[in-house]
Amino acid sequence: MPVLVMKFGGTSVATLDRIRRAAKRVGVEVAKGYDVIVIVSAMSGKTNELVGWVNETSPLYDAREYDAVVSSGENVTAGLMALTLQEMDIPARSWQGWQVPVRTTSAHSAARIEEIPPENIRAKFAEGMQVAVVAGFQGVSPEGRITTLGRGGSDTTAVAFAAAFEAERCDIYTDVDGVYTTDPRVSSKARKLDRIAFEEMLELASLGAKVLQTRSVELAMRYKVKLRVLSSFEEQSDDAGTLVCDEEEIMESNVVAGVAFSRDEAKMTMVSVADRPGIAASIFTALSDAGVNVDMIVQNIAEEGRTDMTWSCPVDQVKRAERAISAAKESGTINFQELIADEDVAKVSVVGIGMRSHTGVAAKMFQVLRDEGINIKVITTSEIKISVLIDRKYMELAVQALHDAFELDKAA
Amino acid sequence: MPVLVMKFGGTSVATLDRIRRAAKRVGVEVAKGYDVIVIVSAMSGKTNELVGWVNETSPLYDAREYDAVVSSGENVTAGLMALTLQEMDIPARSWQGWQVPVRTTSAHSAARIEEIPPENIRAKFAEGMQVAVVAGFQGVSPEGRITTLGRGGSDTTAVAFAAAFEAERCDIYTDVDGVYTTDPRVSSKARKLDRIAFEEMLELASLGAKVLQTRSVELAMRYKVKLRVLSSFEEQSDDAGTLVCDEEEIMESNVVAGVAFSRDEAKMTMVSVADRPGIAASIFTALSDAGVNVDMIVQNIAEEGRTDMTWSCPVDQVKRAERAISAAKESGTINFQELIADEDVAKVSVVGIGMRSHTGVAAKMFQVLRDEGINIKVITTSEIKISVLIDRKYMELAVQALHDAFELDKAA
């Protein structure tokens, strides 16, 4: 029988009532003839409680013990979901990560899934079990200790099971009803997309649209797992939500799929750097070692052996970046005149696989911003994305204007 | 190095502060040179919360899923305890039941420990680990599923580890400071015992002194594990609490070690039963099938082919017993005139291994009760125990009078 993977996030299993509602959705798919693998998160709030206890006990905790404690939330939901399904006369049982087993690396709290042998669960399906409920977010290391995959890891668990079981689809039930052309709270014209390409979703996920964990989208793309994002709080038809899929499966699409934004950015400029081969490596190694997540980088043309270097990073990492750069200056690694931080910027991006074949998207974007009187501070581009840094106060205006100009409120 | 097992119950690990206090006690024993195995319960209240969720989800739950859910509380405490010890620079790690592994039968929710291979933990001790923190109450079945040992099972886990590791002693930290000659709330003269024999503890445990789970005492007796009961809320000296040990290790002892009682008993009498071979079997099979825990049984001498049959059971099982007996009468299995239930009785017992060699204890007990004007309704005896059923309103009086008469306030 075909396998379907269904993943329910923390808000979708927050109470016994919500678990029942989720179980009813599972029942609908079982009735269609699927063998269903359900991946569950911890009841919302539980993981935060456990993380809080660990942090209070041991601020520099042993990640192996962190994982042993924090993984327990998913185990509770898995058992309760199995019991709920049994009450509905659906043969089901729960599996903890080590029982499957979900084999991962030993990188505790940020482990990667290496292998999911499907034999144990397949054998149960063959015996008549209809639903395998699996605790998400967790696995077991080669040393036999419990690992976790990092925040949002249950999405990754779901996609990895879909790949291992060659599932027909992986449905991610969450508290939004799909992926939008932009955040509906910023533009009232935001439209839910029926389909979006993996590459577009990856850009949107990493740009701040918090629907899916980036790693899960990467994994889905690599293994060609059809991902569907949909709401657990609405009655669902077969084509509800948004399907994240291969671009070949999208017949018609707008050149631009969506407008993403990231509010809390900072722009830092190092003025009059003594230019020499390897200077960029010195600067960005120092920042990386200090744990600064550098995003955009721009280097001006050098004049008379000196250049300006600009980068962006999250605004709450500015102090850390300043300390790292000061230390590098004192040690003589870097020579520059001044370091200027602009902590009032935001990033706005247009994303779409159509850009590969359509020219003029960048030009149109810059015109729209110019017409609104918005100054562009930094530009970066990829094959399917153009990002700009602008003053934060213009962020909403820019998103709305771009959404209008690219007619994202209309389907292709 | 010698091994010490230390078990902390739910109230002893109810908060992060209490876990720290317990960890300090562990540190004291580590400093003495012990390899310590710490067995932890769930933080108090947690198991009840989980059991509540399971019952609400599925009143006739699958015990395998019950175990998967309910065992998670101990896992959290185990991880937090390991982290707390690490913060004190004591090398420690946590172990869940399946990791040790604690091999049990497949009798979910009431599993029995079959084997605890000590190799894994011993290897870690050899590498320099000083404390193994083990989640109590749980194990793993031959099928690889999580099992639990039933309420109070962490005591049993502790004793089983002490046996498997040939521990010098098994210290049970709880919210009382030891085993008393009787409940201090009933007699202000109750005295804490320094030592008590396994057999005495077994009688006291099953008679309602809720200090230790009966099964853990049985196991300790079989494997000659020295058990010490002591408070986690007081500073402890080396001879604190009560040592439960082999009777040979008790030099001097009172003939009677303690007075136990059980408040909520009922006496049921079946009047004028048609006597025939096998009638007792018919009655008590019917009661057992109905889940009635029959305690004392008395049969009067039969006259003219009819007899009276009396038994005691917990007062909240009277209705169930009546239904079972009525059904047996209707089906013709049993023939009797009347069933009388007395729901206002209590059981009082004196317990002591000294009774084996001293005569006259029963006579003295009956005299004391007579002198107080207390009527005895049923009597049963074992080698080291005499129990009587009396009117509940006299229970405290009987306990106090017996405690005085056997001079239990004075050490031997």
Side-chain angles (χ1 to χ4, degrees):
Chain A
M1 282 207 277
V3 171
L4 186 71
V5 173
M6 303 174 74
K7 182 256 171 179
F8 293 93
T11 54
S12 307
V13 293
T15 63
L16 299 187
D17 269 345
R18 290 195 183 171
I19 292 174
R20 268 190 286 272
R21 182 154 26 163
K24 276 184 200 154
R25 279 296 313 153
V26 175
V28 169
E29 303 294 352
V30 167
K32 288 180 194 162
Y34 286 110
D35 281 343
V36 177
I37 299 173
V38 174
I39 312 291
V40 289
S41 298
M43 294 161 91
S44 72
K46 285 290 157 191
T47 302
N48 286 342
E49 180 184 56
L50 295 167
V51 169
W53 285 342
V54 169
N55 280 320
E56 193 181 332
T57 299
S58 178
L60 299 169
Y61 51 75
D62 176 346
R64 296 167 297 191
E65 299 299 344
Y66 171 98
D67 285 355
V69 171
V70 170
S71 59
S72 68
E74 279 73 14
N75 294 343
V76 172
T77 323
L80 294 176
M81 175 64 85
L83 287 167
T84 307
L85 290 162
Q86 290 176 359
E87 280 293 305
M88 295 162 58
D89 291 324
I90 297 173
R93 71 157 272 199
S94 71
W95 304 78
Q96 300 185 3
W98 61 272
Q99 290 178 313
V100 176
V102 177
R103 294 192 212 283
T104 72
T105 61
S106 299
H108 283 275
S109 303
R112 299 189 79 86
I113 295 175
E114 302 224 298
E115 193 198 1
I116 300 176
E119 292 76 20
N120 290 336
I121 289 177
R122 281 228 177 100
K124 290 289 169 187
F125 279 140
E127 288 172 19
M129 181 185 70
Q130 294 183 301
V131 183
V133 185
V134 178
F137 173 63
Q138 61 180 251
V140 61
S141 74
E143 296 79 27
R145 301 204 62 175
I146 293 166
T147 53
T148 65
L149 312 179
R151 276 298 168 118
S154 291
D155 287 345
T156 306
T157 303
V159 173
F161 270 84
F165 285 82
E166 296 172 341
E168 197 171 293
R169 209 174 57 240
C170 178
D171 286 349
I172 307 284
Y173 283 85
T174 178
D175 47 6
V176 297
D177 66 348
V179 180
Y180 278 73
T181 51
T182 195
D183 188 332
R185 286 169 298 188
V186 169
S187 170
S188 58
K189 296 183 189 165
R191 179 175 55 86
K192 183 170 74 66
L193 293 161
D194 292 332
R195 296 188 171 213
I196 187 170
F198 289 125
E199 292 87 342
E200 291 170 334
M201 189 66 229
L202 264 184
E203 293 289 359
L204 290 172
S206 59
L207 287 172
K210 286 158 191 151
V211 181
L212 283 172
Q213 202 207 15
T214 308
R215 269 170 65 200
S216 68
V217 182
E218 284 170 0
L219 203 61
M221 184 160 76
R222 186 170 343 138
Y223 291 99
K224 306 271 185 207
V225 171
K226 276 192 210 174
L227 263 182
R228 194 167 64 144
V229 176
L230 67 178
S231 168
S232 58
F233 300 109
E234 291 173 16
E235 289 301 313
Q236 296 299 357
S237 58
D238 270 5
D239 57 355
T242 299
L243 191 71
V244 189
C245 59
D246 227 45
E247 57 184 284
E248 285 84 50
E249 295 180 71
I250 302 176
M251 297 289 285
E252 292 280 348
S253 74
N254 288 322
V255 176
V256 170
V259 181
F261 56 87
S262 168
R263 193 183 300 270
D264 298 315
E265 300 286 317
K267 174 170 91 68
M268 302 189 78
T269 301
M270 199 184 273
V271 179
S272 192
V273 186
D275 199 16
R276 55 169 175 78
I279 183 66
S282 299
I283 294 170
F284 294 106
T285 301
L287 290 171
S288 164
D289 289 350
V292 177
N293 297 310
V294 172
D295 177 19
M296 307 163 98
I297 297 176
V298 180
Q299 183 175 8
N300 289 357
I301 295 159
E303 279 175 38
E304 296 171 12
R306 301 196 82 85
T307 183
D308 293 345
M309 189 76 82
T310 297
W311 68 85
S312 71
C313 68
V315 72
D316 59 3
Q317 296 181 356
V318 166
K319 289 279 167 298
R320 202 184 296 174
E322 285 174 344
R323 275 199 301 275
I325 294 299
S326 298
K329 188 176 190 181
E330 275 163 35
S331 72
T333 323
I334 310 171
N335 176 302
F336 63 92
Q337 221 169 63
E338 197 184 358
L339 181 63
I340 303 168
D342 179 353
E343 304 193 29
D344 293 310
V345 296
K347 182 167 66 168
V348 174
S349 310
V350 297
V351 173
I353 47 171
M355 287 188 211
R356 288 207 196 103
S357 45
H358 286 72
T359 54
V361 173
K364 185 166 178 180
M365 180 180 189
F366 302 154
Q367 283 159 22
V368 169
L369 295 175
R370 180 200 61 198
D371 292 347
E372 298 292 343
I374 300 169
N375 189 34
I376 298 172
K377 305 196 156 193
V378 177
I379 301 169
T380 57
T381 62
S382 80
E383 214 186 352
I384 64 164
K385 180 193 71 172
I386 306 162
S387 299
V388 296
L389 275 193
I390 59 175
D391 279 337
R392 186 174 302 131
K393 62 184 174 186
Y394 296 127
M395 192 192 79
E396 282 83 0
L397 175 61
V399 170
Q400 289 157 4
L402 291 166
H403 199 273
D404 287 351
F406 288 104
E407 297 186 321
L408 299 188
D409 54 327
K410 302 189 184 83
Chain B
M1 282 208 277
V3 171
L4 186 71
V5 173
M6 303 173 75
K7 183 257 172 180
F8 294 93
T11 54
S12 307
V13 293
T15 63
L16 300 187
D17 268 346
R18 290 194 182 171
I19 292 175
R20 268 190 285 273
R21 183 154 28 164
K24 276 185 199 155
R25 279 296 313 154
V26 175
V28 169
E29 303 295 351
V30 167
K32 288 180 195 162
Y34 286 110
D35 281 342
V36 178
I37 299 173
V38 174
I39 311 291
V40 289
S41 298
M43 296 161 89
S44 72
K46 285 289 156 191
T47 302
N48 286 341
E49 179 184 56
L50 295 168
V51 169
W53 285 342
V54 169
N55 280 321
E56 194 182 330
T57 299
S58 178
L60 299 169
Y61 52 74
D62 176 347
R64 295 166 298 189
E65 300 298 345
Y66 171 97
D67 285 356
V69 171
V70 171
S71 59
S72 67
E74 280 72 14
N75 294 344
V76 171
T77 323
L80 293 176
M81 176 63 86
L83 287 167
T84 306
L85 290 161
Q86 289 176 359
E87 280 292 305
M88 295 162 59
D89 290 324
I90 297 172
R93 72 157 272 198
S94 72
W95 303 78
Q96 300 186 3
W98 61 273
Q99 290 177 313
V100 176
V102 177
R103 294 191 212 283
T104 73
T105 61
S106 300
H108 284 274
S109 303
R112 298 191 79 87
I113 295 175
E114 302 225 296
E115 192 198 3
I116 300 176
E119 293 75 21
N120 290 336
I121 288 177
R122 281 228 178 100
K124 290 289 171 188
F125 279 140
E127 288 172 18
M129 181 185 70
Q130 294 184 301
V131 183
V133 185
V134 178
F137 173 65
Q138 61 180 252
V140 61
S141 75
E143 296 78 28
R145 300 205 62 175
I146 293 167
T147 54
T148 65
L149 311 179
R151 275 297 168 119
S154 291
D155 287 345
T156 306
T157 304
V159 173
F161 270 84
F165 286 82
E166 297 172 338
E168 196 170 295
R169 209 174 58 238
C170 178
D171 286 349
I172 307 285
Y173 283 85
T174 178
D175 47 6
V176 298
D177 66 347
V179 180
Y180 278 74
T181 51
T182 195
D183 188 331
R185 286 169 299 187
V186 169
S187 170
S188 58
K189 295 183 189 163
R191 179 175 55 85
K192 183 171 72 66
L193 293 160
D194 292 331
R195 297 190 171 214
I196 187 169
F198 289 124
E199 291 88 341
E200 292 170 334
M201 189 66 230
L202 263 184
E203 292 289 0
L204 291 173
S206 58
L207 286 172
K210 286 157 191 153
V211 181
L212 283 172
Q213 202 207 16
T214 307
R215 268 169 65 200
S216 69
V217 182
E218 284 170 2
L219 203 62
M221 184 161 77
R222 188 172 340 141
Y223 291 100
K224 306 271 185 208
V225 171
K226 275 190 208 174
L227 262 181
R228 193 166 64 143
V229 177
L230 67 178
S231 167
S232 57
F233 299 109
E234 291 172 17
E235 289 301 312
Q236 297 299 358
S237 59
D238 271 6
D239 58 354
T242 299
L243 191 71
V244 189
C245 57
D246 228 44
E247 58 184 285
E248 285 84 49
E249 295 179 71
I250 302 176
M251 297 289 286
E252 292 280 349
S253 74
N254 289 320
V255 176
V256 170
V259 181
F261 57 85
S262 168
R263 192 182 303 267
D264 298 315
E265 300 286 317
K267 174 168 92 68
M268 303 189 77
T269 301
M270 199 183 274
V271 179
S272 192
V273 186
D275 199 17
R276 58 171 171 75
I279 183 64
S282 299
I283 294 170
F284 295 106
T285 301
L287 290 171
S288 164
D289 289 349
V292 176
N293 297 310
V294 172
D295 177 20
M296 306 163 98
I297 297 176
V298 181
Q299 183 175 7
N300 290 356
I301 295 157
E303 278 176 41
E304 295 171 13
R306 302 198 81 87
T307 183
D308 294 344
M309 189 76 82
T310 297
W311 67 85
S312 71
C313 67
V315 74
D316 60 4
Q317 297 182 355
V318 166
K319 289 279 168 296
R320 202 184 297 175
E322 286 174 342
R323 274 198 302 275
I325 295 298
S326 298
K329 189 177 190 181
E330 274 163 35
S331 73
T333 322
I334 311 172
N335 177 301
F336 64 93
Q337 222 170 62
E338 195 182 359
L339 181 62
I340 304 168
D342 179 352
E343 305 194 27
D344 293 310
V345 296
K347 182 168 66 168
V348 174
S349 311
V350 298
V351 174
I353 47 171
M355 287 187 209
R356 288 207 197 103
S357 47
H358 287 73
T359 54
V361 174
K364 183 166 178 181
M365 180 180 191
F366 303 153
Q367 284 160 20
V368 169
L369 295 175
R370 180 200 60 199
D371 292 348
E372 298 291 345
I374 300 170
N375 189 34
I376 298 172
K377 305 195 156 192
V378 178
I379 301 170
T380 57
T381 61
S382 80
E383 214 186 353
I384 65 164
K385 179 193 71 172
I386 306 161
S387 299
V388 296
L389 275 193
I390 58 175
D391 279 337
R392 188 173 301 132
K393 63 183 174 186
Y394 296 128
M395 192 192 79
E396 282 81 1
L397 174 61
V399 171
Q400 290 157 4
L402 290 166
H403 198 272
D404 287 351
F406 288 104
E407 299 186 320
L408 299 187
D409 54 328
K410 302 188 183 81

